[in-house]
Amino acid sequence: MSITKKSDDALPHVVVVGAGFAGLTVVKALAGKAVKVTVIDRENHHLFQPLLYQVASAGLSPANIAQPIRSILSKQKNAEVLMATVTGIDVANRQVLAGERSIGYDHLVVATGARHSYFGHPEWEEFAPGLKTLDDALDIRRRLLEAFEKAEVTTDALERERLMTFVVVGAGPTGVEMAGAISEIARETMASDFRTLDPNQTKVILLDAADRVLPFFDPKLSEKAKDQLESLNIQVRLGVAVQGLNADGVTTASDFIHTRTVIWAAGNSASPLVKQLPGEFDRAGRIHVTPELHLKDHPEIYVIGDTAHCVGPGGAPYPGVSPVAMQQGKKVAENILARINGDPASEFSYWDRGSMATIGRHRAVADVHVMKFGGLLAWLAWVFVHLVFLMSFKNRISVFLIWVWAYFTRQQGARLITGKRGG
Amino acid sequence: MSITKKSDDALPHVVVVGAGFAGLTVVKALAGKAVKVTVIDRENHHLFQPLLYQVASAGLSPANIAQPIRSILSKQKNAEVLMATVTGIDVANRQVLAGERSIGYDHLVVATGARHSYFGHPEWEEFAPGLKTLDDALDIRRRLLEAFEKAEVTTDALERERLMTFVVVGAGPTGVEMAGAISEIARETMASDFRTLDPNQTKVILLDAADRVLPFFDPKLSEKAKDQLESLNIQVRLGVAVQGLNADGVTTASDFIHTRTVIWAAGNSASPLVKQLPGEFDRAGRIHVTPELHLKDHPEIYVIGDTAHCVGPGGAPYPGVSPVAMQQGKKVAENILARINGDPASEFSYWDRGSMATIGRHRAVADVHVMKFGGLLAWLAWVFVHLVFLMSFKNRISVFLIWVWAYFTRQQGARLITGKRGG
């Protein structure tokens, strides 16, 4: 099919489910091409997920790290946005179902991401929220801030200990970043605000069943990150699996940790929508895709990002990180256009630019090929890279100003409790 | 009692319930004085209420107009902050009750504000939320933005009409400001973002049982405001009372307005806590106070702000606006100190600096004694006054930058849907 002017309805219809990094990259890469694109998401906004922990830890506001999908795509004439929850996929008839509505497609991209997984204990979620959406972040923020407020009021010593103990489960980047942020809120921001409570007595405990933090990083950097966490008074307990969890605390093999606030940053499981597609699934619920990123028997259905199990050159699946998602998005747009033109699809390969994780206000670790470094330099690199990648110009400037302000005043900007309160 | 150094516990204890404009002014005016102050609020933040409609209309973020009470008072050594819901007042024993806790006082200030009142129809609240707290504002924002999203999806013409019709009940400043903001979101911000929907077809209807808008303003300005509202395509229906209200629309004497979104900006009723105090109450639930702002038989209990019925020189009670609340706060601090020193308390008198209301992005009306003006000049005055009065320096700068940005780009900054979604 050649690219000539034709009415919208005659154009091939690409439906993208999910407007995270993967889905949005597909849509943007199809700008100006002779296709009609519909992107469906149940939220009205795209989220810059790497900074979500800063909303949870009251450093940033939701509007600093999220933008309406419609506004991101307002200038892209061939893209339409639908806010709806996709309830099913009719593979035989090439239809996406959203409640009573069905949307036909010629090419489908499923990029619905992952939720946290509780290793077969869904009942733990109530006591240990995970961090994937803005609402998750606002919920965690409310729990953190309320814990200090309640600790100030209580006259019961054990209750105060529970309230001032924060447990983060999972020592990947999110867990490390959350633990660092909580420790800094307590020691720097809250310390001046309380009269009877001493926020310096806050205990932050980072648990992981693995034997090191940041398992996807070079072992030397894991060691460095652990040192940096400990310098922030965070107890790092490795090789410790959670065996039980309730409103009063966390059970491990060796003890019971009294706490009212547990944050879950361990384990992902692919969005359940993908179960409706034909294929093989891995333990995390991700569907296997070909090197061209589509389903084995359905070259018109692509699955990418955290929802896809795509094997890299070493035989291991690519990790669920935003650079993989974005590069896959570009490849899918290429392959859709190739297929429309009758050309063969090409295989995905990942260009790993390195990884970074920040630990508190001016510590980080960076793993960039031959360069592996930690401390202030890594933190500055982290700030730079995140500012560059923040999608919208406006957000970038205001987030930068908020960071500069927070850096010099040691004040968090968004320490507001909103939303339904707990008991 | 002379002001000499003594231990905290020997100092007179002033308990302030409510950290709005009235309560916070009392606390700040007592800084450095020989009293111990405890301020109790069920929220952790002070809210700059005059700009709340901008959070509801997705122009500002919660953090732009709210600040943690602890952070406002962190440098005031004689003030303590408690986040708690006050459940009762034991007047005989001079105790404030908050759940299981009781806090003794020597002087009590009740400044718990007002909620909206539905004129004996509390069941209307579900369909027509009011605008008093950040959570109210985020709820209204969600309803507004979702209405457009749902209108884009629906194939039913009547349903689309319902979704694109917005009714604001009450034409005081909040109602006028909300109506103006909704009209501008639809025509300027959303117009570029939707493909199949035409947001220009949005209907905004402002209802009031009174015969003019802004009844506390000069009649000429009411006329001017009405003209400005109509120039924004807002239907202003005066002399129209709401007779019924459900999920499908609003019943008036003459017709039924099909709508899914109703915002309640009519009628206030004082916070119910005040009912526990001995005294006379007016129809809005406000308790009568003496000219010195305390209860008739209890000179140790002051009630101020929207909770108090305080008669001015003309015989009418002062209106529930922030300048009255703040000036009353100062007077109460004065009278408490006078009483401690054995001096007589003095009477409150209000210095009315004038009123302003904004209508959309560069229209407003201002009523400043001999000067009564409308249009761009009034809008610039409104912007200036609100920037000057925004409590914290940091908020002021970032709100100003957001306004400048929004003014030139016609984009709203915080168009995010968060929180529990409706059906």
Side-chain angles (χ1 to χ4, degrees):
Chain A
M1 196 178 291
S2 66
I3 300 180
T4 49
K5 270 206 173 168
K6 44 179 87 187
S7 90
D8 257 26
D9 287 340
L11 292 174
H13 189 198
V14 180
V15 173
V16 178
V17 185
F21 285 116
L24 203 54
T25 307
V26 176
V27 179
K28 291 175 106 177
L30 292 172
K33 307 296 181 188
V35 291
K36 190 184 150 211
V37 185
T38 301
V39 55
I40 310 177
D41 199 293
R42 60 181 165 184
E43 306 283 353
N44 82 327
H45 49 265
H46 168 75
L47 189 61
F48 191 79
Q49 229 162 2
L51 291 180
L52 195 55
Y53 83 95
Q54 292 219 349
V55 174
S57 57
L60 292 176
S61 284
N64 299 134
I65 65 153
Q67 220 187 331
I69 302 162
R70 291 190 187 285
S71 120
I72 295 173
L73 298 174
S74 66
K75 296 219 166 66
Q76 186 171 335
K77 297 238 185 307
N78 70 345
E80 209 172 291
V81 180
L82 264 190
M83 180 178 160
T85 301
V86 171
T87 47
I89 295 166
D90 179 348
V91 173
N93 297 305
R94 300 195 177 183
Q95 300 276 332
V96 170
L97 313 174
E100 287 165 16
R101 219 179 132 99
S102 67
I103 301 114
Y105 62 79
D106 299 304
H107 308 267
L108 175 66
V109 182
V110 176
T112 41
R115 288 290 296 173
H116 15 271
S117 109
Y118 290 84
F119 307 129
H121 290 278
E123 74 278 12
W124 291 355
E125 180 158 20
E126 185 188 345
F127 311 110
L131 187 59
K132 293 280 182 196
T133 68
L134 279 182
D135 285 324
D136 292 343
L138 293 173
D139 177 39
I140 289 176
R141 180 200 289 186
R142 184 177 52 70
R143 288 171 189 244
L144 289 178
L145 298 177
E146 280 190 355
F148 288 103
E149 296 291 343
K150 287 178 181 166
E152 172 89 347
V153 174
T154 189
T155 48
D156 174 336
L158 174 60
E159 180 63 13
R160 181 173 299 133
E161 189 194 324
R162 282 194 198 109
L163 287 165
M164 295 191 64
T165 302
F166 300 87
V167 175
V168 179
V169 182
T174 300
V176 165
E177 288 169 346
M178 258 331 283
I182 295 171
S183 163
E184 293 212 325
I185 294 179
R187 291 180 312 115
E188 303 198 343
T189 315
M190 306 298 257
S192 62
D193 284 3
F194 287 85
R195 296 283 183 270
T196 54
L197 189 76
D198 179 3
N200 287 315
Q201 302 191 341
T202 304
K203 245 194 262 174
V204 183
I205 301 172
L206 180 62
L207 295 182
D208 203 302
D211 61 354
R212 61 185 175 108
V213 305
L214 300 175
F216 291 114
F217 284 60
D218 184 273
K220 273 186 204 143
L221 284 176
S222 294
E223 208 42 56
K224 199 165 261 178
K226 184 164 176 273
D227 291 348
Q228 295 186 2
L229 287 163
E230 284 166 349
S231 76
L232 288 171
N233 286 324
I234 295 163
Q235 295 181 24
V236 182
R237 300 200 195 161
L238 298 169
V240 175
V242 172
Q243 298 187 340
L245 215 158
N246 63 32
D248 294 331
V250 177
T251 311
T252 71
S254 59
D255 66 347
F256 181 80
I257 307 169
H258 295 279
T259 175
R260 291 265 181 248
T261 316
V262 183
I263 293 159
W264 194 262
N268 275 331
S269 122
S271 132
L273 182 68
V274 85
K275 293 222 171 72
Q276 305 203 6
L277 295 173
E280 274 177 68
F281 296 86
D282 68 11
R283 284 201 328 169
R286 298 179 300 181
I287 195 165
H288 285 259
V289 295
T290 67
E292 294 82 11
L293 302 173
H294 56 68
L295 299 188
K296 216 174 93 193
D297 302 320
H298 289 274
E300 80 283 10
I301 301 180
Y302 300 85
V303 183
I304 55 177
D306 293 1
T307 329
H309 179 106
C310 175
V311 174
Y318 290 117
V321 295
S322 53
V324 169
M326 290 170 88
Q327 293 178 33
Q328 288 183 334
K330 278 205 178 131
K331 175 55 73 182
V332 163
E334 249 179 70
N335 282 349
I336 288 173
L337 295 173
R339 198 160 174 259
I340 290 172
N341 289 320
D343 296 333
S346 57
E347 295 191 358
F348 172 70
S349 72
Y350 175 47
W351 179 37
D352 186 356
R353 289 192 186 83
S355 317
M356 291 194 283
T358 174
I359 303 153
R361 214 159 49 87
H362 42 233
R363 296 176 181 82
V365 291
D367 189 347
V368 190
H369 306 296
V370 290
M371 283 169 30
K372 301 183 197 309
F373 54 104
L376 181 61
L377 187 64
W379 184 79
L380 289 172
W382 180 91
V383 166
F384 177 75
V385 167
H386 282 80
L387 286 177
V388 168
F389 279 94
L390 258 183
M391 284 237 164
S392 106
F393 176 75
K394 182 198 158 208
N395 287 355
R396 197 154 58 191
I397 296 294
S398 76
V399 169
F400 179 70
L401 290 176
I402 289 167
W403 281 349
V404 169
W405 179 269
Y407 190 89
F408 287 108
T409 64
R410 308 193 161 207
Q411 283 291 322
Q412 306 285 115
R415 232 160 60 246
L416 304 176
I417 299 179
T418 56
K420 206 177 139 208
R421 265 180 287 284
Chain B
M1 196 179 287
S2 64
I3 299 179
T4 47
K5 270 205 174 170
K6 43 180 84 185
S7 91
D8 257 23
D9 287 339
L11 291 175
H13 189 199
V14 179
V15 173
V16 178
V17 184
F21 285 116
L24 203 53
T25 306
V26 177
V27 179
K28 292 175 101 175
L30 292 173
K33 308 295 179 186
V35 292
K36 187 181 154 216
V37 185
T38 301
V39 55
I40 311 177
D41 199 292
R42 58 180 168 186
E43 306 285 352
N44 82 327
H45 49 266
H46 168 74
L47 189 60
F48 191 78
Q49 231 165 358
L51 291 180
L52 195 56
Y53 84 96
Q54 292 220 348
V55 172
S57 57
L60 292 175
S61 285
N64 299 135
I65 65 154
Q67 217 186 334
I69 301 162
R70 289 190 188 286
S71 123
I72 294 173
L73 298 174
S74 66
K75 297 219 165 68
Q76 184 170 337
K77 297 235 186 309
N78 70 345
E80 210 173 292
V81 180
L82 264 191
M83 181 179 158
T85 300
V86 171
T87 47
I89 296 167
D90 180 346
V91 173
N93 296 307
R94 300 194 177 184
Q95 300 275 331
V96 170
L97 313 173
E100 287 164 16
R101 220 178 132 100
S102 66
I103 301 114
Y105 63 81
D106 298 303
H107 308 265
L108 174 65
V109 182
V110 177
T112 43
R115 287 292 295 172
H116 15 272
S117 109
Y118 290 83
F119 306 129
H121 290 278
E123 72 278 12
W124 291 356
E125 179 157 21
E126 184 186 347
F127 310 111
L131 186 60
K132 292 280 182 197
T133 67
L134 278 183
D135 285 324
D136 291 342
L138 293 172
D139 177 38
I140 289 177
R141 180 200 287 187
R142 182 178 53 69
R143 287 172 189 243
L144 288 178
L145 299 177
E146 280 190 355
F148 288 103
E149 297 291 343
K150 287 179 180 165
E152 171 90 345
V153 175
T154 189
T155 49
D156 175 334
L158 174 60
E159 180 62 14
R160 181 172 300 132
E161 191 195 322
R162 280 194 199 110
L163 287 164
M164 295 190 66
T165 301
F166 300 89
V167 175
V168 178
V169 182
T174 301
V176 164
E177 288 170 346
M178 261 327 285
I182 296 171
S183 164
E184 294 212 323
I185 294 179
R187 291 179 314 116
E188 303 195 344
T189 316
M190 306 298 257
S192 62
D193 283 4
F194 286 85
R195 296 282 183 268
T196 55
L197 189 75
D198 180 4
N200 287 315
Q201 302 192 341
T202 305
K203 244 195 264 174
V204 183
I205 301 171
L206 181 61
L207 294 183
D208 202 303
D211 61 354
R212 60 183 177 112
V213 305
L214 300 175
F216 290 116
F217 284 61
D218 183 272
K220 272 186 204 144
L221 284 175
S222 294
E223 209 42 55
K224 201 165 258 176
K226 185 166 176 271
D227 291 347
Q228 294 185 3
L229 288 163
E230 284 168 349
S231 76
L232 288 171
N233 285 324
I234 295 162
Q235 294 180 25
V236 182
R237 299 199 195 162
L238 298 169
V240 176
V242 173
Q243 300 189 338
L245 215 160
N246 64 31
D248 294 331
V250 177
T251 309
T252 71
S254 58
D255 66 347
F256 181 80
I257 308 168
H258 296 278
T259 176
R260 290 264 182 250
T261 316
V262 183
I263 292 160
W264 194 263
N268 275 332
S269 120
S271 133
L273 181 67
V274 86
K275 293 222 173 71
Q276 305 203 7
L277 295 173
E280 272 176 69
F281 296 86
D282 68 11
R283 285 201 328 169
R286 297 180 299 181
I287 195 164
H288 285 258
V289 295
T290 66
E292 294 82 12
L293 301 173
H294 56 68
L295 298 188
K296 217 174 94 192
D297 302 321
H298 289 275
E300 80 282 11
I301 302 181
Y302 300 85
V303 183
I304 54 175
D306 295 1
T307 326
H309 179 104
C310 175
V311 175
Y318 289 117
V321 296
S322 53
V324 170
M326 292 169 85
Q327 293 179 32
Q328 288 183 334
K330 279 206 178 129
K331 174 58 69 179
V332 163
E334 249 179 71
N335 282 349
I336 288 173
L337 296 173
R339 196 158 176 261
I340 291 172
N341 288 321
D343 297 331
S346 57
E347 296 192 0
F348 172 68
S349 71
Y350 175 46
W351 179 36
D352 185 355
R353 290 192 187 82
S355 318
M356 291 195 281
T358 174
I359 303 154
R361 215 159 48 88
H362 42 233
R363 293 176 183 84
V365 289
D367 188 348
V368 190
H369 305 297
V370 290
M371 283 169 29
K372 302 186 194 307
F373 52 106
L376 181 62
L377 187 64
W379 183 79
L380 289 172
W382 180 91
V383 166
F384 176 76
V385 168
H386 282 80
L387 286 176
V388 168
F389 279 93
L390 260 182
M391 285 238 165
S392 105
F393 176 76
K394 183 198 159 208
N395 287 356
R396 197 155 56 189
I397 297 293
S398 76
V399 169
F400 179 68
L401 290 175
I402 289 167
W403 280 349
V404 169
W405 179 270
Y407 190 86
F408 286 108
T409 64
R410 308 195 162 209
Q411 284 289 324
Q412 305 287 115
R415 233 158 61 246
L416 304 176
I417 299 177
T418 56
K420 204 175 142 211
R421 262 180 289 287

